[in-house]
Amino acid sequence: SAVISQKPSRDICQRGTSLTIQCQVDSQVTMMFWYRQQPGQSLTLIATANQGSEATYESGFVIDKFPISRPNLTFSTLTVSNMSPEDSSIYLCSVVLAGGYEQFFGPGTRLTVL
Amino acid sequence: DAKTTQPTSMDCAEGRAANLPCNHSTISGNEYVYWYRQIHSQGPQYIIHGLKNNETNEMASLIITEDRKSSTLILPHATLRDTAVYYCIVNGAGNNRKLIWGLGTSLAVNP
């Protein structure tokens, strides 16, 4: 398994500002993903974080709004830019270990935008 | 990836087996069936996965029908801590590990 930490665990932000969320894994992983979970909803995949190259975004998500970095095999960041109240969600990172099938999830970052 | 259909909610008495069904009639030959759960305010947790054979681990059993069009997750002795939303997902066996999440089944284990 993998131990995943996310920072911050929660934040309250003002409209128009940006927040960067960090995801740290205790072992090298092959794949990292970022998800959003809006209140009362299921998880929606934002993007696949690629090590050393640009992230691969899902339909409806763009790099200008959700820039992602993954400088190495154990760390990634997601920035929520120019926030609005509609961005209030839980943001989760997940990883897949080499040779594995299951995804391991971080505890999530609960974001509230006022 | 194939779609899945699950009941919106279920109840189970503590200590009894919880049987959670999932329909995935459009599943293709190389797609696995995965089960995850999400306890309130936590990140999802992997439970089990299978291709065509029944699988069992320390958490649960997965029963897949012979035609693979449906499956059942069995929690043999449900506890209050098993109260969660359970997600059934089908995903290909390739390098793409993207998971498409439905609404899942909200399981309430009652004392």
Side-chain angles (χ1 to χ4, degrees):
Chain A
S1 66
V3 176
I4 305 165
S5 61
Q6 286 187 233
K7 290 182 181 179
S9 59
R10 60 177 61 228
D11 208 342
I12 301 173
C13 301
Q14 296 297 319
R15 179 196 300 261
T17 63
S18 298
L19 176 72
T20 295
I21 302 168
Q22 299 179 3
C23 178
Q24 179 74 55
V25 189
D26 69 341
S27 54
Q28 293 187 356
V29 300
T30 56
M31 305 187 78
M32 295 182 78
F33 302 95
W34 285 98
Y35 289 87
R36 179 176 74 182
Q37 188 170 29
Q38 294 175 302
Q41 302 296 314
S42 187
L43 282 75
T44 301
L45 181 64
I46 297 172
T48 303
N50 300 309
Q51 193 257 329
S53 65
E54 190 172 290
T56 304
Y57 290 85
E58 297 301 305
S59 176
F61 297 95
V62 295
I63 188 171
D64 290 346
K65 176 67 175 177
F66 298 101
I68 289 170
S69 78
R70 188 180 171 193
N72 56 51
L73 292 174
T74 64
F75 183 79
S76 178
T77 66
L78 168 75
T79 299
V80 186
S81 303
N82 188 25
M83 290 184 285
S84 66
E86 291 71 34
D87 295 319
S88 297
S89 294
I90 298 173
Y91 292 86
L92 298 134
C93 70
S94 74
V95 303
V96 177
L97 302 180
Y101 287 93
E102 63 265 39
Q103 288 191 22
F104 298 96
F105 284 81
T109 296
R110 184 179 296 271
L111 171 63
T112 301
V113 184
L114 303 178
Chain B
D1 292 322
K3 282 192 160 185
T4 62
T5 304
Q6 299 178 252
T8 302
S9 63
M10 295 182 65
D11 285 284
C12 177
E14 188 178 19
R16 305 296 294 270
N19 297 286
L20 291 91
C22 179
N23 286 320
H24 31 79
S25 59
T26 60
I27 192 170
S28 60
N30 67 344
E31 289 185 314
Y32 286 74
V33 180
Y34 289 82
W35 283 84
Y36 287 78
R37 73 179 182 185
Q38 187 173 27
I39 296 170
H40 183 62
S41 296
Q42 297 182 23
Q45 176 189 24
Y46 165 83
I47 301 173
I48 199 168
H49 76 282
L51 184 62
K52 54 184 178 181
N53 297 322
N54 298 337
E55 302 287 345
T56 296
N57 63 20
E58 65 279 4
M59 290 182 67
S61 294
L62 174 61
I63 309 298
I64 302 174
T65 58
E66 191 167 343
D67 63 8
R68 304 211 320 124
K69 293 185 177 182
S70 65
S71 61
T72 300
L73 178 75
I74 302 173
L75 308 178
H77 306 286
T79 71
L80 299 179
R81 289 191 298 273
D82 291 322
T83 294
V85 178
Y86 287 77
Y87 296 96
C88 169
I89 304 167
V90 294
N91 180 253
N95 291 328
N96 180 348
R97 292 287 189 266
K98 293 195 303 184
L99 300 178
I100 308 301
W101 299 72
L103 295 177
T105 296
S106 179
L107 175 68
V109 180
N110 304 309

